[in-house]
Amino acid sequence: MTTPDGAQAERTGLAWRRTALASAACTVLLLHSAAQRHWGGALIPVLLAASTSALLAAIGMHRERTLRTAEPGPSSRALPAIASLAVTVTAASVLIFH
């Protein structure tokens, strides 16, 4: 059983993992679509989506570790901004190249 202090870190970590998993599922769908289109420019959104999935997983792991420390301190505002930018660029690439 987790302590009340550890529950926040666990919930946050699980939320980031769910987000990364959903992003990975979208990457697989884009990969399937790119294969049907005989690759070409359709591969660009796949690569961006895969990078975004890895980035989301890394940020989630970092955030969970930070929350598990004795003195977590303030969260970095740059990490969610970077994640948002990556998702936005990936979505734009889908609109442009798909």
Side-chain angles (χ1 to χ4, degrees), residues 7-96:
Q8 178 186 6
E10 186 174 353
R11 284 191 309 267
T12 300
L14 289 171
W16 279 98
R17 283 185 204 132
R18 279 192 311 269
T19 303
L21 184 60
S23 177
C26 290
T27 301
V28 171
L29 292 173
L30 284 171
L31 183 64
H32 177 72
S33 177
Q36 287 182 333
R37 294 171 183 256
H38 304 291
W39 307 105
L43 192 59
I44 293 171
V46 173
L47 296 174
L48 287 171
S51 300
T52 300
S53 296
L55 177 68
L56 290 170
I59 289 173
M61 286 175 35
H62 172 73
R63 185 67 186 135
E64 185 176 3
R65 279 191 205 131
T66 301
L67 287 174
R68 288 191 186 277
T69 61
E71 297 286 329
S75 64
S76 171
R77 295 186 192 276
L79 293 179
I82 292 169
S84 296
L85 179 64
V87 169
T88 303
V89 168
T90 301
S93 74
V94 169
L95 292 175
I96 293 169

